[in-house]
Amino acid sequence: MARDRSTPKQARPKVSRRGFLAAAAVTGAATAVASPQATATSASSASVRPRVPSALPPTMRVAAAETAAPNELPRIGGVAGSDFMVDVIKTLDIKYMPSNPASSFRGLHESLIDYGGNKMPEFLTCTHEESAAGMAHGYFKAAGKPLMTLCHGTVGLQHATMAIYNAWCDRVPMIVVGGNDLDAAHRPPGVPTFHSAQDINAIVRDYTKWDDTPVSLQHFAQSFVRAYKIATTPPYGPVAISLDAGLQQEPVTREKLYIPRYVPTSPPQGDTGAVKEAARLLANAQNPVIVVDRAARTENGMRLVVQLAEALQAAVVDQGGRMNFPTTHYLRRAPTAVNNADVIIGMELSDYWGTVNSYTDNGEHGIGVNTSKIKPGTKLISISSVDLNTKSNYQDLQRFQTIDVQMAADAEATLPALIEAVKAAISSDRKAAIEKRGEAARKASAEARERARQAAALAWDASPVSTARLVMETFAQIKDLDWSLVASSGNVSNWPRRLWPMEKHYHWLGASGGYGVGYGAPASVGAALGNRDLGRFSVSIQSDGDLMYAPGVLWTAARHNIPLLAVMHNNRGYHQEVMHVQRLSNFRNRVASLGKDMGPIGTSIQNPDIEYHKLAESMGWWAKGPIKDPADLGPALKLAVAAVKSGQPALLNVWTQPR
Ligand SMILES: Cc1ncc(C[n+]2csc(CCOP(=O)(O)OP(=O)(O)O)c2C)c(N)n1
Ligand SMILES: [Mg+2]
């Protein structure tokens, strides 16, 4: 339809791709190998022959049109539309394209590898669309640059959805390009039609920042540059473009097509009046507390948070969505620091309500109980770019919290002005009191560290291995490297952030965002790819449940030489769910039924035990396990680190305590 208007008539080939495919469906693509001439003849005769409707489910012939080896096509006369798409894509800084291959984007696929030389972006073969999107998610957090991924029509995009949702909740950009064949009158019946939708972006619209359906190549150029720009303007987020089959494959005349130049948009900064008011409150507070979640988008962001904290000698609670604040800094404090605050500034918090209120899940009558954590009259300040998001279906905005001074702005971009305003607002008679706060903080910080160290020593020699030992033995082997903890799936009682000295912005990359389990494995591989190119050593804590959602990403890591040390927290179960069912059974005065496993029925991953080391080995990893005796852990880690340093991924299957 619209395509016919936008593509110049003279540019159309004598034998269109549609004519050919329609003919293939009618005459049978699976018939004996036909010469190109013969194919061309039958194709052009199909354009006058009435179309024969197919019945559902697809006949073998129809299915073969997609699944069997295609007959040779007549040669194209002109430039492929998808070559122009490659030119557009190459103007943006997109290094990789993790994707699972599919016919709905075969035109672009072919152009990228043959015309584009498989560079910028390079196709990384993925075994699941969710793995591809998860890799893009992790890559961005390590490299600071978005990737694109191609998804096959309805089915591919549906596979990618959960990883896109995690990226949405984690405010991470990625460009999702979905193949689709919109023109119902011309698209091949059968399989390709199952894979097409009237409005395919609807599948992901609720958790993408923006989407578009280009109907001409010029439209594609605008959409793609706009998609990149929207995705990388705070609040960052995934965007989607549907890629019409016809646009990719039909030849075009290039003269009139242009590629819009990409210019980055400055992030939104807090209103000057609000910045001044926030500074006044903070400077005059007796006990100001800074809470950060995704405040630091870059290395500089972390520096700015430190400057603000030091100017105020204020406690900092780092919720860990990003590496916001050094774990070794004396102003770092536990979440309970908000309890005595008179002023709290929350920056890019995913849950402000949950920061200042507590919710006890197993309260009276088995339902939640809410209590305020803060003193009455505590002033609340917020800087959050997510205030600019207006999607309503998914509940990632969390409960509503009334805030006294709120800025719909990017925290990192607002911090320089805020720091200046705070310094200006501190009167000379406040300076001594502020200094004193710093001294008390140093003492409290040293005490908290000592308490954490003592807690980590508990059950040090236990078998299976304690989570503290798992984490600290790992650190002992990587501490002299330029390391990056790319993900920690499952729950190891937060030991890395409690005990590892994290001081660089890539020492910790944050969690999944949407708590969709299955993020850890692909995001680690994606982040390790980013770190590989930057010369950093990647390590992940990999839980068992998380890995089994889509373990095929292990193969992608080996295939594309992505070094990563995956240390497994294999507690042989979905322990989070063990605790939920257990607790509810207790509440209902029942004994949880275990079947023959360790946890309540449905929550164990044992009998048989999964041999993750063999799984990884079968896909090209260096791997060892199962390690049950903690004394074996250090030596095994040493070997694994050496393997990773030689350029390959390595996995240690370690049996661990539940938490
Ligand atoms: C996609 C998805 N499915 C199910 C859940 C529910 N869930 C939350 S935690 C969890 C257990 C994950 O197991 P594992 O990764 O081994 O971590 P563990 O709790 O054992 O440390 C599950 C199934 C979820 N959050 N996301
Ligand atoms: Mg587990």
Side-chain angles (χ1 to χ4, degrees):
M1 26 143 241
R3 181 167 51 256
D4 291 341
R5 280 199 304 277
S6 56
T7 311
K9 277 241 156 47
Q10 66 273 23
R12 289 187 157 268
K14 282 217 179 77
V15 180
S16 75
R17 164 215 164 249
R18 298 198 182 290
F20 169 71
L21 281 179
V26 174
T27 57
T31 48
V33 184
S35 71
Q37 291 86 340
T39 315
T41 319
S42 68
S44 44
S45 61
S47 57
V48 290
R49 206 185 291 167
R51 287 169 64 84
V52 181
S54 71
L56 300 180
T59 62
M60 278 176 68
R61 278 180 177 187
V62 171
E66 167 140 315
T67 54
N71 288 348
E72 193 168 349
L73 284 163
R75 304 289 174 213
I76 193 168
V79 176
S82 51
D83 283 4
F84 174 69
M85 293 176 179
V86 170
D87 291 341
V88 173
I89 293 165
K90 277 182 182 284
T91 65
L92 297 157
D93 197 11
I94 302 172
K95 200 162 177 188
Y96 301 105
M97 188 183 67
S99 304
N100 184 246
S103 59
S104 63
F105 54 76
R106 62 188 174 179
L108 183 57
H109 182 166
E110 193 277 336
S111 289
L112 281 162
I113 60 170
D114 295 335
Y115 170 71
N118 195 30
K119 276 206 187 84
M120 300 302 289
E122 177 188 346
F123 198 122
L124 305 178
T125 315
C126 290
T127 58
H128 195 304
E129 290 83 355
E130 185 179 300
S131 307
M135 279 181 67
H137 186 167
Y139 180 89
F140 177 79
K141 291 200 282 184
K145 301 256 169 73
L147 297 184
M148 65 182 284
T149 179
L150 298 174
C151 292
H152 179 44
T154 50
V155 286
L157 195 56
Q158 287 181 76
H159 261 178
T161 50
M162 194 217 69
I164 298 171
Y165 182 62
N166 270 338
W168 164 258
C169 295
D170 200 23
R171 316 303 167 201
V172 162
M174 71 176 68
I175 300 160
V176 181
V177 178
N180 191 38
D181 204 343
L182 203 52
D183 189 339
H186 286 109
R187 78 179 155 231
V191 182
T193 291
F194 279 123
H195 295 175
S196 297
Q198 181 195 95
D199 177 12
I200 195 162
N201 295 336
I203 296 171
V204 293
R205 184 160 296 135
D206 284 326
Y207 41 94
T208 44
K209 258 186 101 181
W210 181 80
D211 66 81
D212 204 6
T213 302
V215 295
S216 69
L217 284 166
Q218 189 56 68
H219 187 173
F220 174 85
Q222 290 186 25
S223 296
F224 201 85
V225 177
R226 196 193 298 275
Y228 191 96
K229 181 179 127 87
I230 290 176
T232 55
T233 302
Y236 298 151
V239 291
I241 292 180
S242 73
L243 189 62
D244 186 54
L247 273 189
Q248 301 170 64
Q249 294 200 205
E250 288 162 10
V252 285
T253 40
R254 289 285 305 264
E255 298 88 67
K256 296 234 171 82
L257 294 173
Y258 71 95
I259 302 172
R261 189 161 61 94
Y262 165 69
V263 180
T265 308
S266 317
Q269 227 178 303
D271 164 75
T272 318
V275 167
K276 275 209 179 113
E277 176 61 6
R280 192 186 63 78
L281 287 170
L282 288 165
N284 294 311
Q286 296 305 311
N287 200 6
V289 173
I290 299 167
V291 188
V292 278
D293 192 0
R294 293 189 187 86
R297 283 185 288 102
T298 68
E299 189 176 359
N300 192 44
M302 203 173 148
R303 219 173 281 136
L304 292 168
V305 176
V306 171
Q307 280 175 26
L308 179 69
E310 290 180 354
L312 289 161
Q313 294 295 323
V316 176
V317 177
D318 188 348
Q319 296 181 332
R322 295 290 182 277
M323 185 71 225
N324 298 292
F325 198 70
T327 59
T328 48
H329 199 287
Y330 66 94
L331 288 169
R332 184 171 185 259
R333 202 57 81 254
T336 46
V338 299
N339 300 3
N340 293 318
D342 53 348
V343 177
I344 296 170
I345 179 164
M347 291 191 275
E348 304 291 351
L349 304 191
S350 54
D351 184 5
Y352 210 125
W353 187 92
T355 302
V356 294
N357 291 281
S358 61
Y359 173 85
T360 312
D361 193 6
N362 56 351
E364 222 178 324
H365 309 302
I367 53 164
V369 176
N370 309 326
T371 43
S372 173
K373 281 194 215 170
I374 55 174
K375 298 187 300 189
T378 301
K379 292 279 184 216
L380 303 182
I381 305 164
S382 167
I383 313 179
S384 174
S385 59
V386 178
D387 283 358
L388 298 164
N389 277 351
T390 53
K391 303 271 175 163
S392 51
N393 188 18
Y394 285 77
Q395 298 295 298
D396 55 298
L397 296 176
Q398 296 289 336
R399 290 197 191 183
F400 186 80
Q401 176 62 47
T402 300
I403 308 234
D404 299 285
V405 181
Q406 45 196 323
M407 289 166 253
D410 177 61
E412 184 169 322
T414 307
L415 271 165
L418 181 64
I419 293 163
E420 283 317 302
V422 161
K423 285 182 180 162
I426 296 175
S427 57
S428 44
D429 57 321
R430 295 278 314 131
K431 287 201 171 118
I434 289 174
E435 280 310 308
K436 221 164 152 203
R437 242 175 4 223
E439 284 156 32
R442 280 176 206 277
K443 196 162 161 275
S445 163
E447 286 168 3
R449 262 197 110 59
E450 189 44 40
R451 276 198 302 275
R453 229 173 270 139
Q454 281 175 13
L458 290 176
W460 190 249
D461 294 320
S463 171
V465 181
S466 79
T467 53
R469 182 139 186 199
L470 178 85
V471 165
M472 295 318 287
E473 291 274 4
T474 301
F475 185 69
Q477 298 299 329
I478 62 162
K479 66 181 190 331
D480 297 327
L481 305 170
D482 191 19
W483 57 271
S484 170
L485 178 59
V486 288
S488 181
S489 49
N491 184 322
V492 288
S493 300
N494 207 18
W495 287 117
R497 293 185 57 242
R498 285 163 79 183
L499 284 177
W500 291 15
M502 296 178 168
E503 293 170 331
K504 295 188 175 147
H505 70 286
Y506 51 83
H507 276 168
W508 167 240
L509 301 183
S512 63
Y515 299 92
V517 182
Y519 158 91
S524 300
V525 172
L529 173 67
N531 281 336
R532 178 191 74 183
D533 297 352
L534 292 160
R536 301 173 192 150
F537 183 96
S538 298
V539 58
S540 73
I541 305 291
Q542 176 63 61
S543 61
D544 50 339
D546 180 277
L547 180 58
M548 287 308 287
Y549 283 86
V553 75
L554 297 176
W555 178 82
T556 301
R559 169 66 187 82
H560 293 284
N561 306 311
I562 302 173
L564 165 66
L565 171 62
V567 182
M568 284 200 71
H569 161 43
N570 176 10
N571 57 13
R572 286 143 295 126
Y574 300 108
H575 194 71
Q576 184 80 9
E577 308 310 320
V578 169
M579 298 188 295
H580 275 294
V581 179
Q582 187 76 66
R583 193 178 52 188
L584 213 56
S585 302
N586 292 352
F587 182 77
R588 293 172 179 174
N589 289 318
R590 289 199 277 249
V591 175
S593 180
L594 303 188
K596 289 191 174 114
D597 293 331
M598 288 187 302
I601 289 170
T603 63
S604 285
I605 313 175
Q606 55 177 176
N607 299 325
D609 296 318
I610 300 174
E611 303 208 70
Y612 297 98
H613 48 290
K614 289 190 184 165
L615 176 76
E617 205 172 62
S618 78
M619 290 194 258
W621 284 50
W622 183 100
K624 250 195 169 15
I627 295 166
K628 302 175 186 175
D629 181 346
D632 296 339
L633 186 54
L637 275 161
K638 205 181 255 336
L639 295 174
V641 167
V644 176
K645 279 165 90 175
S646 79
Q648 71 181 124
L651 178 141
L652 281 185
N653 176 13
V654 187
W655 278 33
T656 48
Q657 296 290 331
R659 281 283 177 267

